[in-house]
Amino acid sequence: MDRIQDCSPTTLVLVTAVVILVVAYMFKSLLEKKPENLPPEVPSSIPWLGQAVSFGQRPLEFLTEAYEKHGAVFSFTMVGKTFTFLVGSEASALLFNSKNENLNAEEVYSKLTTPVFGRGVAYDVPNHIFLEQKKMFKTGLNIARFKQHVPMIEEETVEYFKRWGDAGERDIFVALSELIILTASRCLHGKEIRSVLNEEVAQLYSDLDGGFSHAAWLLPGWLPLPSFRKRDAAHKAIKQVFYKAIAKRRESQEKEDDMLQTLLDSTYKTGRHLTDDEVAGMLLGLLMAGQHTSSTTSAWLAFFLAKNKDIQDQLYEEQVSVCGSDLPPLQYDQLKDLTLLDRCLKETLRLRPPIMVVMRECKTPQKVKGYTIPPGHQVCVSPTVNHSLKDQWGQDNDQFRPDRFLSDETSNSEKFAYIPFGAGRHRCIGEMFAYAQIKTIWSVLLRKYEFDLVDGYFPSVNYTTMIHTPYKPVIRYKKRSRPL
Ligand SMILES: *[C@@H]1O[C@H](CO)[C@@H](O)[C@H](O)[C@H]1NC(C)=O
Ligand SMILES: *[C@@H]1O[C@H](CO)[C@@H](O)[C@H](O)[C@H]1NC(C)=O
């Protein structure tokens, strides 16, 4: 008893001292660490949730208004996090030129990609390992391969659209999503995996896809949400399909000339080969990275062309003039001569870039345009916003006018004006494949059909998923009557 009584005042003094020290420290660090020149903030009266609702409902208008009001750099709060947007080439250069240790990609993307692709690949590994993995992909995505891919994509497309018949009204986004899983899996995964791709497997992809949701991004991963459980089950099941194909290929004596073979033959700088699990994760990543972006872009292109019938007719004429009046099977070398189709695709990517926001987590204080972005902020660039500003694209910024790309300056991505595939160290490596795939699919469609809007309806943007798809994407089509 004595001892306790004895100790009490001492303890009390000590505790008080510690508390005072901690408070003083916190106070001091609060005063010190807070840079005076934080970016201007878009105010919100709702604590924690902040601008989540305004942004979620009308992200583009929200960002454009904030840009006009606050300038090229501004911050706002959503679900307890601070998001700082960089608008314009000068400001966005910070993100695209940054080192990964300063503006970090894994922190923001891993939560989404790791449950879908699995461990050991992409944003689950340190960036220098991911860069090695991207290099392996680059080796596998080469012109010689693209030359083989074009006839495969053409064949898959012709086969797929047989079910559409001669005329009707259908959901073109669903169709293109289904088709692109087939084409991408045939070209990028190889014949073994393509051959087992049936409706059941397609459903697994669709469940996996449900993993790329706002919920997965914002909510803790351990929550027992049905979409999380479906995603995890699908991940396991798909991996089994891949393991079998990988084993089959490893046992096979003949060497195929495709991406799967490239991955099996690749080694890290240390000399180590990829494990089956890493190969499977990379194949999954490759498909998912290309699938949505290509299907959304192809679907939006459909609606822009349905709205601009004159351009659609010119595209048909381009097929005839480049490939010949009997429209023989396509060849890779002809794709580059389909220049109007190329510009239409670019213009679609300008107006509807599939990825609306590119994000990094700030790790060290970043100075930009006189402001200091503190660690912890989510630093963002929006290709969509930059692709739609009047000061860059003129008064007809919201019009589909492919010929604006006749001037080389317009697509000069050095200046980050036109960034549908991102830029810098995290830039997309699939651009060439995506162009070859979409141009081939669209060549088949242009040769076969004429497209119209259904009663003039041009889809608005469906903001519910992370990739901005057309809302109610039903299109009218009829067999093209060929001029004699
Ligand atoms: C977009 O990029 C162009 C060219 O780099 C730049 O001049 C313009 O300010 C940018 N606009 C926005 C809002 O990012
Ligand atoms: C919007 O997107 C979600 C998610 O992909 C989809 O389930 C829904 O059907 C879409 N809505 C419309 C009307 O297109």
Side-chain angles (χ1 to χ4, degrees):
M1 277 306 268
D2 269 349
R3 283 177 67 112
I4 291 171
Q5 271 174 347
D6 200 8
C7 276
S8 272
T10 327
T11 315
L12 206 70
V13 170
L14 261 172
V15 168
T16 317
V18 168
V19 167
I20 290 173
L21 276 172
V22 167
V23 169
Y25 175 80
M26 277 169 54
F27 198 66
K28 194 168 147 244
S29 63
L30 231 130
L31 286 178
E32 266 183 5
K33 272 202 190 149
K34 199 171 175 182
E36 295 129 40
N37 44 357
L38 285 172
E41 197 157 334
V42 185
S44 167
S45 52
I46 314 165
W48 195 72
L49 206 54
Q51 299 287 358
V53 175
S54 332
F55 180 81
Q57 284 174 341
R58 300 162 62 244
L60 272 187
E61 289 87 343
F62 178 88
L63 294 175
T64 312
E65 276 162 29
Y67 168 67
E68 277 159 12
K69 202 159 167 195
H70 302 282
V73 183
F74 53 85
S75 303
F76 56 92
T77 305
M78 280 196 297
V79 289
K81 284 188 175 153
T82 308
F83 292 80
T84 296
F85 271 80
L86 309 171
V87 184
S89 49
E90 202 191 327
S92 50
L94 171 73
L95 187 142
F96 291 120
N97 294 334
S98 68
K99 291 204 170 134
N100 200 54
E101 51 279 25
N102 298 326
L103 289 180
N104 182 283
E106 292 94 270
E107 297 279 357
V108 284
Y109 294 137
S110 172
K111 253 186 101 182
L112 281 174
T113 57
T114 303
V116 176
F117 307 159
R119 306 306 303 259
V121 298
Y123 297 106
D124 187 54
V125 291
N127 189 245
H128 68 274
I129 303 283
F130 185 25
L131 288 182
E132 286 193 46
Q133 294 175 345
K134 277 173 113 173
K135 215 177 203 167
M136 299 171 190
F137 280 145
K138 267 194 224 163
T139 313
L141 292 169
N142 57 53
I143 307 270
R145 296 263 170 85
F146 297 155
K147 287 187 177 171
Q148 303 171 12
H149 293 160
V150 167
M152 297 178 188
I153 298 169
E154 183 174 27
E155 193 186 300
E156 294 277 359
T157 311
V158 168
E159 185 56 38
Y160 184 92
F161 277 95
K162 277 184 184 160
R163 70 194 71 172
W164 271 35
D166 285 348
E169 284 172 14
R170 295 237 195 175
D171 187 322
I172 191 153
F173 177 60
V174 165
L176 290 166
S177 303
E178 289 175 0
L179 170 65
I180 287 172
I181 288 190
L182 300 175
T183 55
S185 135
R186 173 132 172 221
C187 299
L188 303 174
H189 289 172
K191 58 178 189 185
E192 296 90 345
I193 294 178
R194 170 63 186 89
S195 71
V196 294
L197 184 46
N198 52 22
E199 268 171 33
E200 200 182 318
V201 178
Q203 182 59 45
L204 293 178
Y205 280 124
S206 155
D207 290 348
L208 261 184
D209 232 32
F212 290 113
S213 61
H214 292 113
W217 177 50
L218 295 170
L219 301 176
W222 47 259
L223 279 180
L225 294 187
S227 66
F228 290 7
R229 257 185 278 163
K230 265 192 181 170
R231 172 197 66 195
D232 298 340
H235 174 83
K236 278 202 194 114
I238 289 253
K239 280 265 174 98
Q240 292 307 323
V241 173
F242 285 12
Y243 293 152
K244 271 190 209 141
I246 293 168
K248 203 166 167 187
R249 180 68 70 87
R250 284 200 199 276
E251 282 159 20
S252 152
Q253 295 308 314
E254 49 185 315
K255 282 218 164 184
E256 295 292 327
D257 177 20
D258 64 6
M259 180 62 88
L260 176 55
Q261 199 59 50
T262 302
L263 294 181
L264 294 180
D265 294 344
S266 296
T267 54
Y268 288 112
K269 281 185 192 145
T270 59
R272 179 172 81 73
H273 277 91
L274 297 168
T275 63
D276 282 10
D277 194 43
E278 286 167 335
V279 172
M282 284 175 71
L283 290 176
L284 209 44
L286 193 60
L287 183 97
M288 303 300 271
Q291 205 271 336
H292 275 290
T293 42
S294 294
S295 54
T296 322
T297 305
S298 307
W300 279 115
L301 178 56
F303 290 101
F304 285 122
L305 297 183
K307 195 175 168 192
N308 295 273
K309 292 290 298 268
D310 50 330
I311 300 179
Q312 207 182 130
D313 291 341
Q314 289 163 29
L315 285 170
Y316 178 74
E317 281 155 27
E318 183 177 73
Q319 290 289 324
V320 173
S321 67
V322 171
C323 307
S325 57
D326 51 343
L327 297 173
L330 277 160
Q331 289 164 20
Y332 177 74
D333 292 327
Q334 292 169 332
L335 296 182
K336 67 171 185 324
D337 298 326
L338 298 170
T339 52
L340 178 58
L341 183 54
D342 202 78
R343 293 197 297 281
C344 286
L345 185 47
K346 284 206 170 87
E347 182 69 339
T348 303
L349 285 165
R350 180 184 74 84
L351 285 163
R352 298 287 185 277
I355 309 276
M356 199 199 73
V357 179
V358 179
M359 249 184 318
R360 306 281 182 265
E361 185 162 306
C362 189
K363 291 289 177 191
T364 57
Q366 296 294 310
K367 288 201 165 47
V368 60
K369 300 206 94 166
Y371 301 114
T372 303
I373 306 173
H377 277 206
Q378 311 286 309
V379 182
C380 311
V381 165
S382 170
T384 317
V385 171
N386 201 24
H387 291 174
S388 66
L389 288 167
K390 289 198 173 68
D391 52 8
Q392 172 71 11
W393 299 95
Q395 288 303 317
D396 65 349
N397 64 339
D398 54 355
Q399 298 298 308
F400 183 78
R401 196 169 62 75
D403 284 353
R404 69 175 85 239
F405 285 101
L406 282 171
S407 121
D408 281 345
E409 227 183 308
T410 315
S411 54
N412 180 359
S413 87
E414 289 293 310
K415 292 166 69 197
F416 310 116
Y418 180 71
I419 43 175
F421 294 91
R425 65 188 301 114
H426 294 285
R427 196 180 194 290
C428 170
I429 48 161
E431 179 171 353
M432 296 251 290
F433 177 76
Y435 266 83
Q437 170 161 271
I438 298 174
K439 284 171 95 173
T440 305
I441 290 174
W442 264 97
S443 294
V444 173
L445 291 178
L446 287 161
R447 290 170 176 200
K448 183 164 184 183
Y449 293 126
E450 246 177 79
F451 294 94
D452 281 286
L453 299 178
V454 178
D455 306 327
Y457 169 74
F458 189 89
S460 50
V461 179
N462 184 347
Y463 288 124
T464 49
T465 44
M466 314 236 16
I467 293 195
H468 290 168
T469 54
Y471 186 82
K472 293 199 181 147
V474 175
I475 205 159
R476 183 173 291 162
Y477 60 94
K478 64 169 188 272
K479 200 172 166 182
R480 181 172 282 279
S481 48
R482 295 195 178 175
L484 292 173

